[in-house]
Amino acid sequence: MKLSRRSLLAGAAVIGVGALVARPLWHAIGAAAEPQPLRIPGLLDARQQGNSISLQVQAGNTEFFPRRASRTMGYNGNHLGPTLRVHRGDDVEVAITNTLKEDTTIHWHGLLVPAELDGGPHQLIQPGATWRPTLPVRQPAATLFYHSHVHGRTGVQVYAGLAGLLLVTDDEEQALGLPSEYGVDDLPLVLQDRQFEDGRLVLPSGMMTTMQGRRGDTTLVNGTPNAVARVPGRLVRLRLLNGSNARIFDLSFDDQRTFHWIASEGGLLEEPVEVRSLTLAPGERVEILVDFSDGRSVALETAPDTNFPMMMGPMGQVRNFAAEIFGAGNEVVLRFEPAASDGTPGVVPGRLIARQRADASQATRRRRFVLSMGMGMGGMMGGGMGSGGDMRINGRPFDMDRIDERVPLGDTEIWEISGEMMSHPVHLHGVQFEVLSRNGGKPLPRDAGVRDTVLVQEPVELLVRFTQPAVKAPFMYHCHILEHEDNGMMGQFTTT
Ligand code: C2O
Ligand code: CU
Ligand code: CU
């Protein structure tokens, strides 16, 4: 068995803090299993069923590894959910029935709908209840994300499997001739790191988990460990979602091939951008085109995880030491086995769609947000091991009964956001934004496009358009490290 570098690091982290029960350092059966064919979630196309979709939230067992059952949750199945496809211009009736023994919600991350339809913490679905929102789909084609958003247990429920993809399509996208045969040359890829012990999913908890977010030694793609995707020997579209609780992926191919980034969270870019690597933070999505016409096997990899809180200094040192000894190698996320092809290279369109650029001079107001975290007294005294985190925005932890910001509906504002201690993926509900600046300078190439989630450590300025009403319920803004969100790094705004 190959030594798992990350299980060593997890051990090092424990030594660094010296307060948690040490786990065996050399144990990572999850990393040592056989390749498995990539699972593809079923496709539920709303139009094919009269624009009505029903989802059942359920608990069950999943064998991630042969003969090793884990307790999991899913929508219409035991783990994760089907890919939902909706069409721009349609009104889609959704019925979500909660068969769990606990509360849940279902949030349409990235969908531009009024706040009472958003599925955030205020749209609670109690055990046995059914929630029936009708979703007006009025935005351009995009890859969106649905997941549980029940306050305080979002991290636990998403970790167990309550997540899926929501695809918006429209005529403009279809006219481009991009690869769009679902599961064949248009692949949904939900990336999630999870912790396994003896092949069974375990739920990390404790103060360290709160501080750094739940992480794991195994990367699943659509719930598949050691996944292998068979793809046609041509241009293939990958829709990547980082559905991890906390892990940031730095993705590239092991042969260093280039690929084309074609869509951000808000949908297609104006033109494809040729890159060799992409960072994907929790909550973020990208669509890329990869050319497999050379017929060669290739692996999508991620660089090692480096987003740990600065206060865990000793751990950082042990990590660096370990990286020196064992090599800071990349980790395979997904292997591709292309079918034979005639070798004709794929043709990437030169232009994608025209976008109306946002105009910063229209901004009527500037607001500032600082994300902060501390161990909290409970954590320091050793009494609060279950939580231990003290997560805040502008000095205040989340309060469901407090409206933090009131924005006039229809306005454009500049939101300036910065974070402390580590990088935080910040997500705003009910809006799309563009990144105006990063650290006082130009945004990164990866900040391009229309977005709903952005990775923040140094300050970013976002130009945000508030087009959706939040009258009957507020919208959320929060860190998408789910343990930060669950422990208070979240606020709410109305638009009236
Ligand atoms: Cu993806 Cu408020 O969430
Ligand atoms: Cu959201
Ligand atoms: Cu955070």
Side-chain angles (χ1 to χ4, degrees):
M1 185 200 296
K2 203 180 113 212
L3 173 69
S4 160
R5 195 173 42 80
R6 267 198 291 160
S7 63
L8 170 74
L9 300 184
V14 169
I15 294 162
V17 166
L20 302 180
V21 180
R23 282 219 301 266
L25 297 187
W26 322 100
H27 242 80
I29 195 172
E34 297 295 302
Q36 299 189 41
L38 175 71
R39 301 174 194 182
I40 301 288
L43 177 67
L44 264 181
D45 187 301
R47 270 212 183 152
Q48 283 168 14
Q49 22 196 21
N51 270 324
S52 86
I53 286 178
S54 33
L55 292 176
Q56 177 159 310
V57 191
Q58 59 193 74
N61 290 316
T62 301
E63 287 190 10
F64 295 99
F65 297 96
R67 295 174 305 284
R68 296 282 199 286
S70 300
R71 290 299 288 166
T72 54
M73 292 179 184
Y75 299 100
N76 294 359
N78 291 335
H79 186 245
L80 300 178
T83 298
L84 311 179
R85 186 159 63 197
V86 298
H87 296 250
R88 183 182 193 177
D90 289 359
D91 294 318
V92 181
E93 291 173 18
V94 193
I96 306 100
T97 301
N98 180 9
T99 72
L100 304 175
K101 294 193 184 70
E102 58 180 299
D103 292 343
T104 193
T105 82
I106 185 167
H107 167 56
W108 321 106
H109 176 140
L111 192 68
L112 296 174
V113 291
E116 69 272 17
L117 306 176
D118 187 49
H122 293 270
Q123 286 84 47
L124 205 66
I125 316 173
Q126 290 175 338
T130 298
W131 182 49
R132 300 175 187 278
T134 297
L135 305 174
V137 182
R138 301 290 184 269
Q139 70 201 81
T143 298
L144 312 180
F145 174 23
Y146 66 95
H147 62 82
S148 160
H149 211 308
V150 63
H151 183 51
R153 286 184 58 80
T154 296
V156 171
Q157 291 193 354
V158 171
Y159 188 89
L162 292 187
L165 284 175
L166 171 63
L167 312 183
V168 178
T169 184
D170 62 12
D171 297 344
E172 223 178 335
E173 178 215 3
Q174 285 169 17
L176 286 170
L178 294 167
S180 51
E181 206 180 327
Y182 180 81
V184 178
D185 63 8
D186 181 356
L187 298 184
L189 300 175
V190 180
L191 274 44
Q192 299 174 306
D193 68 326
R194 293 293 182 256
Q195 184 64 32
F196 288 85
E197 305 271 352
D198 189 32
R200 292 187 173 86
L201 185 67
V202 294
L203 183 74
S205 58
M207 185 185 63
M208 286 292 292
T209 296
T210 303
M211 298 303 288
Q212 66 185 38
R214 274 194 183 88
R215 305 191 193 196
D217 61 4
T218 304
T219 301
L220 306 177
V221 184
N222 302 337
T224 326
N226 304 300
V228 181
R230 298 204 175 277
V231 287
R234 57 174 190 261
L235 207 59
V236 172
R237 177 189 199 169
L238 307 180
R239 300 175 187 258
L240 294 153
L241 157 69
N242 185 341
S244 299
N245 286 39
R247 173 77 196 266
I248 296 170
F249 295 106
D250 285 302
L251 301 167
S252 59
F253 288 93
D254 64 350
D255 62 0
Q256 295 306 309
R257 69 178 57 193
T258 62
F259 54 94
H260 286 86
W261 175 33
I262 58 166
S264 60
E265 283 81 30
L268 292 163
L269 303 172
E270 291 179 316
E271 52 195 49
V273 181
E274 190 171 13
V275 293
R276 277 181 211 280
S277 64
L278 273 180
T279 299
L280 198 66
E284 287 189 314
R285 292 89 61 206
V286 289
E287 293 178 30
I288 63 175
L289 295 177
V290 187
D291 191 355
F292 294 108
S293 61
D294 66 5
R296 290 208 204 107
S297 303
V298 64
L300 181 68
E301 299 186 325
T302 180
D305 194 0
T306 55
N307 189 30
F308 292 92
M310 281 183 325
M311 67 184 70
M312 292 166 184
M315 178 181 130
Q317 284 165 27
V318 178
R319 281 175 54 81
N320 293 340
F321 177 65
E324 259 170 47
I325 296 176
F326 299 110
N330 284 358
E331 175 204 338
V332 172
V333 171
L334 175 60
R335 289 190 172 78
F336 292 92
E337 298 287 349
S341 94
D342 63 6
T344 318
V347 181
V348 175
R351 300 211 40 88
L352 296 167
I353 53 154
R355 282 253 183 216
Q356 212 188 336
R357 289 290 178 98
D359 176 0
S361 71
Q362 286 172 357
T364 49
R365 185 167 169 178
R366 173 182 292 267
R367 299 179 204 247
R368 291 194 176 81
F369 301 87
V370 180
L371 281 56
S372 65
M373 54 191 286
M375 302 239 200
M377 281 314 284
M380 302 288 261
M381 310 301 289
M385 296 300 284
S387 59
D390 182 14
M391 310 288 166
R392 293 159 185 255
I393 297 181
N394 289 346
R396 300 193 291 198
F398 179 66
D399 180 348
M400 227 159 128
D401 298 321
R402 184 189 67 230
I403 301 301
D404 298 280
E405 308 292 335
R406 294 168 205 274
V407 179
L409 179 62
D411 274 15
T412 299
E413 297 192 343
I414 294 175
W415 281 28
E416 190 184 312
I417 307 181
S418 59
E420 294 175 352
M421 305 300 266
M422 60 192 286
S423 298
H424 304 272
V426 174
H427 168 51
L428 277 53
H429 286 213
V431 298
Q432 292 184 335
F433 54 77
E434 288 175 54
V435 182
L436 288 178
S437 76
R438 188 177 276 279
N439 216 4
K442 281 216 293 206
L444 299 171
R446 181 63 182 88
D447 291 323
V450 179
R451 331 180 54 89
D452 56 55
T453 308
V454 64
L455 190 57
V456 172
Q457 183 170 37
E458 61 284 332
V460 294
E461 281 182 308
L462 311 177
L463 188 65
V464 191
R465 290 185 55 212
F466 296 86
T467 59
Q468 298 300 313
V471 182
K472 295 176 206 154
F475 281 125
M476 308 291 126
Y477 55 94
H478 59 89
C479 177
H480 221 286
I481 292 178
L482 300 180
E483 289 67 32
H484 291 183
E485 172 196 328
D486 279 338
N487 286 281
M489 200 179 280
M490 177 153 71
Q492 37 191 12
F493 67 95
T494 57
T495 52
T496 52

